[in-house]
Amino acid sequence: MSDTPAESAKPSFRSDVTVELVKHSAADSDVLWAARVSTAGEQSLDELSKDPERSKGLINYLMRDRHGSPFEHNSMTFFISAPILVFREFMRHRVGWSYNEESGRYRELQPVFYVPGEDRKLVQQGRPGKYEFVAGTPEQHELTGRLMEDAYLRAYEAYQEMLAAGVAREVARSVLPVGLFSSMYATCNARSLMHFLGLRTQHEQAKVPSFPQREIEMVGERMEAQWARLMPLTHAAFNANGRIAP
């Protein structure tokens, strides 16, 4: 595998993220057979062929009373492309999650960098623990975009120069910023995803307020939209019970 930098790699800048559901085994019926085995034994297998809509009250009961294990018998794998700063927060979620991320030791990292979009609030007001973000001025947005792009380009030029001189990728990558895009696969179950969403998204139905960084919230919103299509009754119960993971 060569350390020679790719001549065709041209820096680009993004304000969005990519979230794709690449594999899943997840349905509301998974919650029901897992729950009913406690009282029905092998007859709980009947839930596999029944319409889960008939038992949405049970799903709501399990969510409300925090009977969490029936929500673990499913799986979703997402492909995510986002700035490295998002992944460093993401990997604080360890229970019920599996990750594999691209490696700067084994491949040349591509020059795709994060620059906040115009709708990204830039200014923090208030003291720690009691602050809010407000929209920046056009001048602040222009300054932020210009300086970030300039810093990214200088960092990537240094990275390329080291690679061209024969420096190992695992050493040269040290100059690259956390605004660089990376990609990973993340696998979870509904219970672990609900815990993630409770902390990493803001929502009007949440009983416990959350103050996520906007960039990881963007990922969470896209993951939630895809999960909601797979398990609509579970998602509705999650919202109805204050978005607290069981």
Side-chain angles (χ1 to χ4, degrees):
M1 190 176 291
S2 172
D3 285 336
T4 303
E7 295 181 359
S8 60
K10 296 181 180 180
S12 61
F13 307 98
R14 294 182 58 181
S15 61
D16 62 340
V17 296
T18 298
V19 177
E20 297 180 12
L21 180 67
V22 298
K23 183 179 179 181
H24 68 86
S25 174
D28 290 315
S29 58
D30 299 332
V31 180
L32 298 173
W33 53 253
R36 288 213 160 102
V37 72
S38 62
T39 58
E42 65 183 24
Q43 293 180 359
S44 60
L45 291 170
D46 293 342
E47 294 297 332
L48 293 171
S49 58
K50 291 181 179 178
D51 181 1
E53 183 74 27
R54 296 170 57 253
S55 300
K56 63 182 180 181
L58 175 57
I59 292 176
N60 189 70
Y61 159 74
L62 295 169
M63 190 78 68
R64 184 195 68 211
D65 284 16
R66 312 285 301 276
H67 296 291
S69 58
F71 298 98
E72 296 176 2
H73 296 271
N74 55 81
S75 178
M76 293 164 280
T77 298
F78 297 91
F79 172 80
I80 302 169
S81 180
I84 289 174
L85 63 92
V86 169
F87 291 172
R88 295 305 160 263
E89 285 197 329
F90 214 121
M91 292 176 185
R92 294 174 63 84
H93 298 267
R94 297 182 293 277
V95 178
W97 288 89
S98 297
Y99 304 106
N100 279 92
E101 185 183 353
E102 70 175 286
S103 172
R105 297 183 68 190
Y106 302 127
R107 74 183 300 255
E108 180 182 335
L109 298 172
Q110 298 303 297
V112 181
F113 300 99
Y114 175 71
V115 175
E118 293 182 358
D119 59 342
R120 207 301 186 188
K121 296 178 180 179
L122 290 185
V123 180
Q124 180 178 322
Q125 293 181 341
R127 56 183 174 80
K130 193 176 182 181
Y131 61 84
E132 63 176 352
F133 281 89
V134 298
T137 65
E139 293 75 19
Q140 288 172 319
H141 276 279
E142 188 279 329
L143 177 71
T144 299
R146 175 167 49 83
L147 293 183
M148 290 178 76
E149 290 185 14
D150 182 60
Y152 290 150
L153 292 173
R154 285 186 281 116
Y156 198 74
E157 287 173 0
Y159 175 66
Q160 291 275 287
E161 186 173 347
M162 282 189 280
L163 293 183
V167 176
R169 287 184 290 263
E170 65 183 58
V171 177
R173 65 177 174 169
S174 301
V175 300
L176 295 174
V178 294
L180 180 76
F181 269 70
S182 185
S183 59
M184 72 171 179
Y185 291 104
T187 299
C188 63
N189 59 57
R191 188 182 192 185
S192 53
L193 179 58
M194 285 186 279
H195 182 261
F196 175 87
L197 295 174
L199 293 172
R200 301 299 182 180
T201 60
Q202 291 183 312
H203 197 280
E204 60 183 8
Q205 291 179 269
K207 289 182 179 178
V208 180
S210 181
F211 305 96
Q213 183 163 337
R214 177 55 189 155
E215 287 71 23
I216 196 170
E217 184 178 36
M218 290 161 58
V219 173
E221 289 170 348
R222 287 159 176 76
M223 294 176 75
E224 180 170 1
Q226 298 189 61
W227 168 58
R229 288 193 290 270
L230 298 176
M231 303 179 72
L233 301 180
T234 302
H235 180 255
F238 175 58
N239 281 333
N241 288 278
R243 294 177 66 85
I244 297 174

